[in-house]
Amino acid sequence: MSTPDLKFAFGNFNYICSTVSLTLCPLVGDADGIEPICYSRNVRLVDTLIFQPSTLIVHFIALVMTAIMIYHIRSKYTAVGRKEIIMFFYLYMLVTIMDLLLISGIIPTSSDLYPYFTGVHLGLISATFWCLLLNGFVGFQFAEDGTPLSLWSIRISSFVVFLAVAFLSIATFQKIGPFDPLHPVALWIIFFIFNGAALFIYVILQIVLVVNTLDDRWPLGDIVFGIGFFAVGQVILYVFSLDICNFAKHYIDGLFFGTISTLLSVMMVYKYWDSITKEDLEFSVGSKQNVWEVKELLGEDEMANGGLYGQQQQGQYG
């Protein structure tokens, strides 16, 4: 693999891949890919080299935390947008699993399957951003949440985005048609501009939603923290990764902190959604409250005879 000069250029991954080891870096920019100047050292586990071990630990933590968030979302049976937002977290979990397999070397870069798995990985990333964007419209109730129209519009469009980006990525890696791994302009636009625009629009939509429809302004803090975590992670990933790697003597690099920041951002998406949704207690616990109210109204004699239902039975069979 080559290590080109550190010069940022539109549509070119050379600068990015020289700074941090992304999953697509071994497949673009040069016939042998691009190797970062400094990256986290590997460890040997059962005769197998594991790359990015510290980042791998963060991925496992992210999977556990995502599973916990999904559990809490599923438990809010009547919350607005519950079925829509949970798709975002499932996609993030899939992205994490794919990232874990690729950056750790479990699927080695020398494998013939590596370009295809990387294409799936990039497709899932764009589908996750797209799904988050569409969730930004749920609160405006253009389509009632939980209905087939709302759910399938997100599912089908996210799947289309996934297929389109995965095909574009694989075509770029394999040099199919006009796509060229030495000049991956289209892939660069998808990776940074398309995904970034989806995130930006989502944030704007949520700010408008909170300001115009909610009396509580605290959810704005969740949005600010989420964007802050994500922005800091991107800066660390693409600007300070080499400095961190050299300072830590190759034990960690920017990918470690970038992965942590992404996890924190996703957790703030959950925190924001949780703060703006309230369960409809009339349906979730109202039946239990009614039972207690009936019991309080019944006299001791009625309760001793089995309540109203018992008295009706006595009248029928007595």
Side-chain angles (χ1 to χ4, degrees):
M1 294 186 183
S2 65
T3 304
D5 295 333
L6 293 178
K7 294 181 180 180
F8 179 82
F10 177 85
N12 195 316
F13 284 99
N14 288 2
Y15 169 79
I16 300 298
C17 290
S18 297
T19 305
V20 63
S21 179
L22 301 179
T23 57
L24 56 79
C25 290
L27 303 169
V28 297
D30 188 81
D32 297 322
I34 306 173
E35 184 177 279
I37 295 175
C38 182
Y39 52 88
S40 176
R41 64 180 67 192
N42 52 56
V43 296
R44 183 174 292 278
L45 183 64
V46 192
D47 296 330
T48 302
L49 283 178
I50 301 297
F51 297 89
Q52 297 285 347
S54 56
T55 305
L56 202 60
I57 294 173
V58 178
H59 281 314
F60 282 117
I61 295 174
L63 291 175
V64 173
M65 295 303 300
T66 306
I68 293 173
M69 289 185 284
I70 289 174
Y71 171 78
H72 283 290
I73 293 172
R74 291 174 62 90
S75 67
K76 296 185 68 173
Y77 300 105
T78 59
V80 174
R82 176 179 70 96
K83 293 181 179 180
E84 286 82 0
I85 195 65
I86 205 169
M87 288 187 277
F88 164 75
F89 289 96
Y90 280 132
L91 284 171
Y92 171 70
M93 182 175 282
L94 290 176
V95 169
T96 302
I97 292 173
M98 292 300 300
D99 204 29
L100 183 154
L101 294 174
L102 292 169
I103 69 165
S104 65
I106 295 176
I107 300 175
T109 57
S110 58
S111 172
D112 293 335
L113 295 177
Y114 187 87
Y116 298 97
F117 274 92
T118 303
V120 170
H121 179 227
L122 298 179
L124 285 172
I125 291 175
S126 294
T128 303
F129 277 102
W130 178 258
C131 182
L132 181 65
L133 168 61
L134 295 188
N135 268 276
F137 291 97
V138 172
F140 295 93
Q141 293 291 294
F142 294 116
E144 186 177 354
D145 67 287
T147 60
L149 175 61
S150 176
L151 295 174
W152 283 103
S153 62
I154 296 178
R155 290 169 181 167
I156 294 175
S157 62
S158 296
F159 185 65
V160 170
V161 169
F162 162 73
L163 288 179
V165 175
F167 172 78
L168 173 65
S169 302
I170 295 172
T172 301
F173 302 149
Q174 301 292 350
K175 199 175 182 179
I176 299 174
F179 303 105
D180 187 352
L182 302 181
H183 306 285
V185 179
L187 192 58
W188 193 95
I189 292 174
I190 292 293
F191 194 79
F192 290 107
I193 297 180
F194 176 81
N195 295 345
L199 178 61
F200 177 77
I201 296 172
Y202 170 79
V203 172
I204 297 300
L205 288 172
Q206 299 319 292
I207 293 175
V208 172
L209 180 68
V210 172
V211 172
N212 290 341
T213 63
L214 299 181
D215 294 330
D216 189 6
R217 295 292 184 264
W218 283 107
L220 291 175
D222 299 328
I223 297 174
V224 171
F225 275 106
I227 291 298
F229 285 133
F230 185 79
V232 169
Q234 297 303 295
V235 171
I236 292 176
L237 192 63
Y238 299 122
V239 178
F240 296 109
S241 182
L242 292 179
D243 296 328
I244 293 172
C245 182
N246 290 320
F247 179 79
K249 298 180 180 180
H250 293 252
Y251 283 102
I252 58 174
D253 56 13
L255 196 61
F256 172 76
F257 291 104
T259 305
I260 292 176
S261 298
T262 300
L263 171 60
L264 293 175
S265 301
V266 172
M267 292 174 67
M268 293 312 300
V269 170
Y270 165 77
K271 179 67 173 61
Y272 165 74
W273 176 85
D274 186 62
S275 67
I276 65 172
T277 56
K278 302 293 182 183
E279 282 196 285
D280 191 343
L281 297 180
E282 178 183 354
F283 296 98
S284 60
V285 298
S287 58
K288 295 182 180 180
Q289 290 177 341
N290 292 336
V291 170
W292 285 109
E293 290 173 359
V294 171
K295 286 183 178 180
E296 290 175 357
L297 293 174
L298 292 174
E300 293 182 359
D301 294 338
E302 294 175 341
M303 293 297 295
N305 293 328
L308 295 176
Y309 180 70
Q311 288 181 359
Q312 292 172 355
Q313 287 184 324
Q314 291 176 6
Q316 293 175 357
Y317 301 104

